[in-house]
């Protein structure tokens, strides 16, 4: 009989008018990997936050190793053996990776020696064991999100907590890294630890979890052994029985299948953007793009796969006119929509309401007012249109964007940028962190706009191979600042993976 | 954004007043002065009569109002202009120079010229730190503070040298021409038209921030430079430059209005640090230009009451300054406290310190 | 304006606030005097003397008195308005910087008399009160030159305004009567209350060989005295001289004597003149012959000053008092030679 390491019962937690948890339960055994699933806003992160000591429940009980406990903060949780890997980053950007890994560690017996000296060998051992490789002496601010996520996971693993809690750790990892992370999680479980994992892809959870808990609207609606469930049952549990049929269409994409060979190719029309022998540099001076040439036509979806940090960012900035190349020629149109990677920082202004966030796209639009004046009633209508069309759940368009759930923020950004994308849409990982229904919706929208006469061209930069495979009419791999065309015969996960790995070799 | 509900503002006001009254009373009592008498003097000096209110409180509020607006507009764009003091001196210098040299001009030419010159000089003073920020990446907090010292000492140099009154006796400039002086706003009072100019500026600024494209860009850059750039395609550099100049112009105008409305000549120590107090004025108004009118009058009343405390209650200036500082501290602290609680209730996660759980992020 | 009028005005001003006003209720036969200073009355010098003068008016003439320290030029008008409209009869504005505002206030409040210490302009009810401190500083120069072993003496000033420049001019002239070859150093700090700057200037002069220092930096004079004390503590020989007020007890170990203005006495004299109805229309000069200016030796250091030097200084003082010796000064009052 394996011991119950953590037990959460009847948790209730509200934030203002939003109820995040309304009687959620979770029971975690030693020796298991436990997957937690749910739609955006279902309460997954809050539940994990309770376990990690960063959220205090208003009602409910928490037991760790059979003892009732009250966690007053993350340190408290650590003391009780709970290690939480956050979904968002808690690293200090101006410190090196090693310094970040050393934060909060005791300096050792002498009290003077910096902990780094002890942490380095431990970190190197852990990297070798897990296959998670990060440059220990780089500053965190110079790392891409993938590396940062790896550092977060390493930071938690180094303390070898009996209960490890990971909030969507796979979103920014390469397929190979996901595989080795899962191997590691299974290994930790074999040692008798408990691993709690939130992931947005059902297939990932099913690939690694021994048991699964599904949350819906703050309640636990299902807990089951992996063998007792299939993807369709999980989706029904997540979205509710009645909504399930509507999202079935999205399930294919979310679980890795291919949704309708997005037609586009036939409609590909005039060229809307051209890059010709373009170079770009990072802030550090290193080359980010090397002699990139690309043409994008209306109606096509150009998928760009690749490991984070191989020049995708610079490519996106060039295509959206936010960066001008130091060498080469970039010809980009006016009507460009841009769905940036980090929507909370780059896509929206948190303290602005929905109308003002809409105005971010309209403030220099001649239709949005006369002369220097802005026509707020008109912009409000536009915001209302996006809200209703894209199902942004908000009390009204006067609500602050920071009060929306992540999924709804993303819907707002996608809706706004689709409206803006008359000629071209550039999307960086547009469905990262979205739930099944929202992902399906975004995919459908991309298909819709590219299939109408005179619709824009789309550049889809994504680390999610399934997404790229499903949506693209043309497929490219970005590696080491270069664009490689994927030959027809290599349009598989494995084929693309091989091309991506080429970029991991040092090239500068 | 920094906004209050109407009721919250009242609670803040009442709580601040109570806290202040207690602390200040204890302080005065310990010092051997009669708190009741001091309070009465303070009230009568600030609001006691129409004369006190119009000729003292409102007059004193003018430099707070204009420098407060200068700080508010800058902070709204995320420009940390701590240099209103120096920009005020630059404006005062320009105003006094034009006001003396243009003595031959009719008032309808000279008076606007004086105020415009003051605004331009303030903007020019702000241009230096603005360019250092944009071209060289030098933080404006330090450069604007340093420019304050330059401005203050440049004014001191001028009144001892090139701009000294023609007799060359006293360290002050000649008085500006009558045509360069701001007429009384309320006949028979000391309140000059500068107050109306300042209030008009507040209204214009509020309208610009709320209703114009430029104002929206200012708010976007201030609220999130990354989102303004990525989602808004806003040229933050241009917004920062324009805002910096507008901020400098308002502070410069404060100096010009002080010269044209009250002192008619430039002295050393023209400002006791209005440019710094302006930061408190603006923050207390939550960077809302219309609210700055209110907080500036509050600070004006405080100054007016402070003078009366000396005159009528016989409390020495140092004590008065201490009480005044206490009042400001109490108001700011209470305000911040209330604001945090209000925000905490609205924004998920804020009260947890460092985490925004489920509702804010999927 | 009748007394009743005053009361009405007063109550109108203080209006609705119940607590104020009652202490200030009108007492027949008293008059009201106010003092404005641009610095703290705790300066042990220029402003402290004025405040003592105000208290003297209260104690000797039974005047109702009030004081306000103003911080900015913008407050000058306000203070004049507040006092004049609450029925104050005589307002002492203790500094040249008040003169423009006093001229404006004088026009607006013909029934109030404004006395501006060190002012340069006058009207029927605006009176500059000129302290001829040069006469005291001339005597200080004699002592300085007589006591200097190095033949170098120094002067540390605040702001270079005529009254200050005048005292230094006279100091130098007095010093030359004792030692025609004396070298006189001069520096201005630009501030009346920057003690650190005053000390720095004093240290610099001591470093250049000066061994007797006089100052005219008001509240910052502590810096000068401190610099001299530190020189003495380090084994050197140096002396200081006080100014404006009898500062002998401020640093009794190093201050040989002080050129003093008896501000309280001159305020009292001015107020008495006002009571006779003859104040106004011309400046008041207050010097040694009026017994307002003097040079006071420090009794504790009398034994270090040669008797001949004291005798010589005393003789010159009598000449000045009798009007037989005119001390050089820098003119700055309307109507004086060279002043427009």
């Amino acid at each position: 009989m394996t011991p119950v390491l953590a037990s959460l019962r009847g948790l209730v937690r509200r934030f203002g008018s939003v109820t995040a948890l309304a009687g959620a339960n979770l029971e975690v055994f030693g020796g298991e990997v436990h997957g937690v699933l749910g739609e955006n806003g279902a309460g997954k992160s809050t539940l994990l936050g309770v376990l990690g000591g960063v959220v205090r429940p208003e009602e409910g009980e928490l037991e760790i190793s059979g003892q009732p406990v009250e966690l007053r903060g993350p340190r408290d949780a650590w003391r009780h053996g709970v290690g939480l890997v956050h979904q968002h980053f808690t690293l200090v950007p101006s410190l090196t990776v090693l310094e970040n890994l050393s934060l909060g560690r005791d300096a050792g017996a002498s009290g003077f020696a910096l902990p780094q000296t002890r942490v380095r060998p431990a970190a190197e051992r852990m990297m070798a064991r897990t296959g998670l490789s990060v440059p220990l002496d780089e500053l965190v601010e110079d790392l891409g999100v993938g590396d940062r996520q790896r550092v977060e996971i390493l930071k938690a693993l180094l303390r070898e907590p009996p209960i490890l809690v990971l909030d969507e750790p796979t979103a920014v990892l390469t397929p190979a890294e996901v595989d080795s992370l899962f191997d590691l999680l299974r290994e930790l479980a074999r040692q008798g630890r408990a691993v709690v994992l939130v992931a947005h892809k059902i297939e990932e959870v099913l690939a690694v979890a021994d048991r699964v808990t599904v949350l819906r609207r703050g309640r636990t609606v299902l807990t089951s052994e992996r063998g007792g469930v299939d993807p369709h049952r999980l989706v029904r549990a997540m979205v509710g029985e009645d909504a399930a049929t509507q999202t079935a269409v999205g399930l294919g994409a979310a679980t890795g299948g291919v949704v309708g060979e997005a037609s586009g190719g036939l409609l590909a029309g005039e060229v809307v953007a051209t890059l010709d022998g373009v170079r770009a540099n990072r802030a550090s001076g290193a080359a980010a793009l090397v002699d990139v040439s690309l043409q994008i036509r209306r109606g096509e979806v150009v998928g760009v796969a690749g490991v984070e940090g191989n020049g995708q960012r610079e490519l996106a900035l060039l295509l959206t006119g936010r960066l001008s190349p130091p060498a080469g020629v970039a010809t980009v149109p006016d009507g460009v929509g841009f769905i940036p990677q980090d929507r909370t920082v780059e896509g929206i202004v948190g303290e602005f309401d929905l109308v003002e966030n809409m105005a971010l796209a309209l403030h220099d639009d001649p239709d949005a007012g006369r002369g220097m004046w802005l026509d707020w009633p008109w912009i409000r209508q536009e915001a209302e249109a996006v809200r209703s069309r894209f199902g942004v759940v908000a009390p009204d368009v006067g609500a602050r964007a920071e009060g929306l759930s992540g999924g709804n923020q993303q819907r707002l950004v996608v809706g706004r940028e689709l409206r803006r994308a008359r000629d071209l849409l550039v999307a960086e990982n547009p469905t990262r962190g979205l739930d099944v229904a929202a992902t399906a919706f975004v995919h459908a929208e991309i298909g819709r706009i590219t299939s109408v006469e005179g619709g824009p061209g789309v550049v889809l930069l994504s680390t999610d191979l399934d997404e790229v495979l499903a949506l693209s009419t043309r497929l490219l791999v970005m590696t080491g600042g270069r664009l490689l065309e994927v030959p027809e015969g290599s349009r598989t996960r494995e084929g693309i993976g091989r091309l991506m790995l080429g970029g991991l070799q040092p090239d500068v | 954004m920094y906004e209050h509900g109407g009721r919250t503002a009242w609670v803040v006001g009442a709580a601040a007043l109570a806290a202040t009254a207690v602390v200040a009373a204890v302080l005065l009592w310990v010092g051997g002065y009669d708190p009741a008498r001091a309070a009465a003097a303070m009230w009568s000096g600030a609001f006691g009569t129409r004369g006190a209110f119009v000729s003292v409180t409102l007059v004193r509020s003018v430099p707070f109002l204009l420098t407060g607006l200068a700080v508010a507009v800058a902070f709204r764009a995320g420009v940390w202009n701590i240099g209103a003091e120096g920009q005020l001196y630059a404006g005062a210098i320009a105003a006094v120079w034009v006001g003396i040299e243009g003595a031959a001009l009719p008032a309808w030419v000279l008076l606007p010229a004086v105020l415009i010159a003051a605004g331009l000089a303030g903007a020019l003073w702000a241009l230096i730190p603005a360019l250092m920020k944009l071209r060289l990446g030098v933080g404006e907090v330090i450069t604007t503070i340093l420019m304050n010292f330059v401005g203050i000492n440049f004014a001191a140099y001028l009144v001892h040298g090139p701009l000294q009154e023609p007799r060359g006796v006293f360290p002050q400039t000649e008085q500006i021409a009558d045509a360069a002086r701001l007429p009384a706003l309320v006949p028979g009072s000391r309140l000059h038209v500068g107050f109306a100019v300042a209030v008009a500026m507040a209204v214009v600024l509020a309208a610009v921030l709320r209703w114009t494209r430029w104002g929206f860009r200012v708010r976007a850059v201030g609220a999130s430079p990354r989102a303004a750039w990525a989602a808004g395609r806003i040229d933050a550099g241009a917004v920062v430059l324009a805002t910096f100049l507008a901020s400098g112009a308002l502070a410069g105008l404060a100096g010009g209005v002080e010269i044209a409305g009250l002192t008619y000549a430039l002295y050393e120590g023209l400002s006791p640090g209005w440019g710094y107090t302006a930061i408190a004025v603006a923050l207390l108004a939550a960077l809302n230009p219309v609210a700055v009118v209110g907080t500036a009058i509050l600070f004006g009343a405080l100054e007016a009451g402070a003078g009366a405390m000396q005159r009528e209650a016989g409390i020495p200036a140092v004590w008065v300054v201490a009480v005044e500082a206490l009042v400001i501290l109490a108001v700011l602290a209470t305000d911040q406290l209330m604001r945090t609680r209000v925000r905490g209730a609205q924004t998920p996660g804020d009260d947890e310190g460092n985490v925004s759980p489920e509702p804010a992020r999927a | 304006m009748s007394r009743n009028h005053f009361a009405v005005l007063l109550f109108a001003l203080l209006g609705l606030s119940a607590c104020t006003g009652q202490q200030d209720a009108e007492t027949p036969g008293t008059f009201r005097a106010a003092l404005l200073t641009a610095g703290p009355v705790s300066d042990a010098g220029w402003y402290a003397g004025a405040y003592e003068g105000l208290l003297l008016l209260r104690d000797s003439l039974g005047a109702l008195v009030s004081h306000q320290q103003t911080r900015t030029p913008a407050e000058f008008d306000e203070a004049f308005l507040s006092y004049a409209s609450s029925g104050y009869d005589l307002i002492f504005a203790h500094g040249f910087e008040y003169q423009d505002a006093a001229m404006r206030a004088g026009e607006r409040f013909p029934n109030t008399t404004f006395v501006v210490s060190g002012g340069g302009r006058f009207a029927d009810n605006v009176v500059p009160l000129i302290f001829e401190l040069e006469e005291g500083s001339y005597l200080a120069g004699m002592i300085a030159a007589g006591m200097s072993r190095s033949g170098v003496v120094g002067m540390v000033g605040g702001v270079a305004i005529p009254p200050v420049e005048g005292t230094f001019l006279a100091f130098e002239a007095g010093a030359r009567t004792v030692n025609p070859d004396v070298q006189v150093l001069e520096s201005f700090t630009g501030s009346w209350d920057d003690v650190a700057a005053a000390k720095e200037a004093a240290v610099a002069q001591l470093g250049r060989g000066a061994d007797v220092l006089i100052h005219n930096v008001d509240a910052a004079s502590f810096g000068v005295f401190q610099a001299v004390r530190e020189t003495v503590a380090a084994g050197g020989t140096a002396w200081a001289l006080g100014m404006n007020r009898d500062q002998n007890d401020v640093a009794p170990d190093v201050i040989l004597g002080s050129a003093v203005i008896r501000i309280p006495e001159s305020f009292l004299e001015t107020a008495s003149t006002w009571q006779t109805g003859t104040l106004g229309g011309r400046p008041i000069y207050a010097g040694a012959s009026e017994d307002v200016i003097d040079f006071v030796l420090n009794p504790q250091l009398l034994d270090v000053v040669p008797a001949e030097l004291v005798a010589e200084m005393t003789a010159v003082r009598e000449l000045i008092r009798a009007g037989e010796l005119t001390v050089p000064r820098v003119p700055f009052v309307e109507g004086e030679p060279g002043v427009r």
Side-chain angles (χ1 to χ4, degrees), chain C residues 191-202:
Chain C
S191 159
W192 299 115
D193 50 18
D194 190 339
V195 177
K199 183 177 171 185
E200 212 172 286

PDB file of all heavy atoms in Angstrom, chain C residues 191-202:
ATOM      1  N   SER C 191      25.820  81.771   0.723  1.00  0.00           N
ATOM      2  CA  SER C 191      24.723  81.265   1.556  1.00  0.00           C
ATOM      3  C   SER C 191      24.854  81.834   2.964  1.00  0.00           C
ATOM      4  O   SER C 191      25.951  82.112   3.439  1.00  0.00           O
ATOM      5  CB  SER C 191      24.775  79.737   1.616  1.00  0.00           C
ATOM      6  OG  SER C 191      24.080  79.266   2.739  1.00  0.00           O
ATOM      7  N   TRP C 192      23.719  82.012   3.611  1.00  0.00           N
ATOM      8  CA  TRP C 192      23.728  82.501   4.983  1.00  0.00           C
ATOM      9  C   TRP C 192      23.692  81.368   6.012  1.00  0.00           C
ATOM     10  O   TRP C 192      23.836  81.600   7.191  1.00  0.00           O
ATOM     11  CB  TRP C 192      22.527  83.408   5.252  1.00  0.00           C
ATOM     12  CG  TRP C 192      22.491  84.635   4.399  1.00  0.00           C
ATOM     13  CD1 TRP C 192      21.570  84.952   3.466  1.00  0.00           C
ATOM     14  CD2 TRP C 192      23.430  85.711   4.397  1.00  0.00           C
ATOM     15  NE1 TRP C 192      21.862  86.147   2.871  1.00  0.00           N
ATOM     16  CE2 TRP C 192      23.006  86.649   3.431  1.00  0.00           C
ATOM     17  CE3 TRP C 192      24.611  85.973   5.124  1.00  0.00           C
ATOM     18  CZ2 TRP C 192      23.697  87.823   3.163  1.00  0.00           C
ATOM     19  CZ3 TRP C 192      25.291  87.145   4.848  1.00  0.00           C
ATOM     20  CH2 TRP C 192      24.838  88.053   3.886  1.00  0.00           C
ATOM     21  N   ASP C 193      23.419  80.176   5.553  1.00  0.00           N
ATOM     22  CA  ASP C 193      23.264  79.110   6.546  1.00  0.00           C
ATOM     23  C   ASP C 193      24.031  77.845   6.206  1.00  0.00           C
ATOM     24  O   ASP C 193      23.852  76.826   6.836  1.00  0.00           O
ATOM     25  CB  ASP C 193      21.777  78.780   6.748  1.00  0.00           C
ATOM     26  CG  ASP C 193      21.075  78.562   5.427  1.00  0.00           C
ATOM     27  OD1 ASP C 193      21.775  78.324   4.424  1.00  0.00           O
ATOM     28  OD2 ASP C 193      19.837  78.632   5.404  1.00  0.00           O
ATOM     29  N   ASP C 194      24.901  77.926   5.211  1.00  0.00           N
ATOM     30  CA  ASP C 194      25.676  76.745   4.858  1.00  0.00           C
ATOM     31  C   ASP C 194      26.940  76.695   5.707  1.00  0.00           C
ATOM     32  O   ASP C 194      27.984  77.224   5.348  1.00  0.00           O
ATOM     33  CB  ASP C 194      26.017  76.762   3.363  1.00  0.00           C
ATOM     34  CG  ASP C 194      26.611  75.436   2.902  1.00  0.00           C
ATOM     35  OD1 ASP C 194      27.108  74.684   3.756  1.00  0.00           O
ATOM     36  OD2 ASP C 194      26.572  75.166   1.694  1.00  0.00           O
ATOM     37  N   VAL C 195      26.821  76.035   6.865  1.00  0.00           N
ATOM     38  CA  VAL C 195      27.922  75.994   7.824  1.00  0.00           C
ATOM     39  C   VAL C 195      29.153  75.321   7.211  1.00  0.00           C
ATOM     40  O   VAL C 195      30.289  75.772   7.381  1.00  0.00           O
ATOM     41  CB  VAL C 195      27.474  75.244   9.100  1.00  0.00           C
ATOM     42  CG1 VAL C 195      28.623  75.133  10.077  1.00  0.00           C
ATOM     43  CG2 VAL C 195      26.301  75.964   9.742  1.00  0.00           C
ATOM     44  N   ALA C 196      28.900  74.238   6.466  1.00  0.00           N
ATOM     45  CA  ALA C 196      30.015  73.491   5.883  1.00  0.00           C
ATOM     46  C   ALA C 196      30.799  74.354   4.904  1.00  0.00           C
ATOM     47  O   ALA C 196      32.031  74.351   4.900  1.00  0.00           O
ATOM     48  CB  ALA C 196      29.496  72.243   5.190  1.00  0.00           C
ATOM     49  N   ALA C 197      30.068  75.123   4.084  1.00  0.00           N
ATOM     50  CA  ALA C 197      30.744  75.974   3.099  1.00  0.00           C
ATOM     51  C   ALA C 197      31.552  77.058   3.796  1.00  0.00           C
ATOM     52  O   ALA C 197      32.672  77.378   3.392  1.00  0.00           O
ATOM     53  CB  ALA C 197      29.717  76.597   2.151  1.00  0.00           C
ATOM     54  N   ALA C 198      30.986  77.612   4.877  1.00  0.00           N
ATOM     55  CA  ALA C 198      31.694  78.662   5.610  1.00  0.00           C
ATOM     56  C   ALA C 198      32.974  78.096   6.230  1.00  0.00           C
ATOM     57  O   ALA C 198      34.041  78.725   6.203  1.00  0.00           O
ATOM     58  CB  ALA C 198      30.790  79.243   6.698  1.00  0.00           C
ATOM     59  N   LYS C 199      32.861  76.887   6.754  1.00  0.00           N
ATOM     60  CA  LYS C 199      34.033  76.275   7.369  1.00  0.00           C
ATOM     61  C   LYS C 199      35.108  76.002   6.314  1.00  0.00           C
ATOM     62  O   LYS C 199      36.291  76.259   6.526  1.00  0.00           O
ATOM     63  CB  LYS C 199      33.627  74.960   8.044  1.00  0.00           C
ATOM     64  CG  LYS C 199      34.782  74.297   8.775  1.00  0.00           C
ATOM     65  CD  LYS C 199      34.348  73.048   9.502  1.00  0.00           C
ATOM     66  CE  LYS C 199      35.582  72.319  10.011  1.00  0.00           C
ATOM     67  NZ  LYS C 199      35.219  71.038  10.616  1.00  0.00           N
ATOM     68  N   GLU C 200      34.644  75.515   5.173  1.00  0.00           N
ATOM     69  CA  GLU C 200      35.571  75.225   4.083  1.00  0.00           C
ATOM     70  C   GLU C 200      36.332  76.484   3.670  1.00  0.00           C
ATOM     71  O   GLU C 200      37.550  76.476   3.500  1.00  0.00           O
ATOM     72  CB  GLU C 200      34.742  74.718   2.910  1.00  0.00           C
ATOM     73  CG  GLU C 200      35.407  73.704   2.029  1.00  0.00           C
ATOM     74  CD  GLU C 200      34.387  73.160   1.034  1.00  0.00           C
ATOM     75  OE1 GLU C 200      33.510  72.368   1.456  1.00  0.00           O
ATOM     76  OE2 GLU C 200      34.441  73.568  -0.125  1.00  0.00           O
ATOM     77  N   ALA C 201      35.584  77.605   3.522  1.00  0.00           N
ATOM     78  CA  ALA C 201      36.211  78.869   3.130  1.00  0.00           C
ATOM     79  C   ALA C 201      37.210  79.314   4.194  1.00  0.00           C
ATOM     80  O   ALA C 201      38.319  79.791   3.883  1.00  0.00           O
ATOM     81  CB  ALA C 201      35.141  79.936   2.911  1.00  0.00           C
ATOM     82  N   ALA C 202      36.834  79.144   5.467  1.00  0.00           N
ATOM     83  CA  ALA C 202      37.711  79.554   6.557  1.00  0.00           C
ATOM     84  C   ALA C 202      38.985  78.717   6.566  1.00  0.00           C
ATOM     85  O   ALA C 202      40.101  79.240   6.711  1.00  0.00           O
ATOM     86  CB  ALA C 202      36.986  79.436   7.894  1.00  0.00           C
TER      87      ALA C 202
END
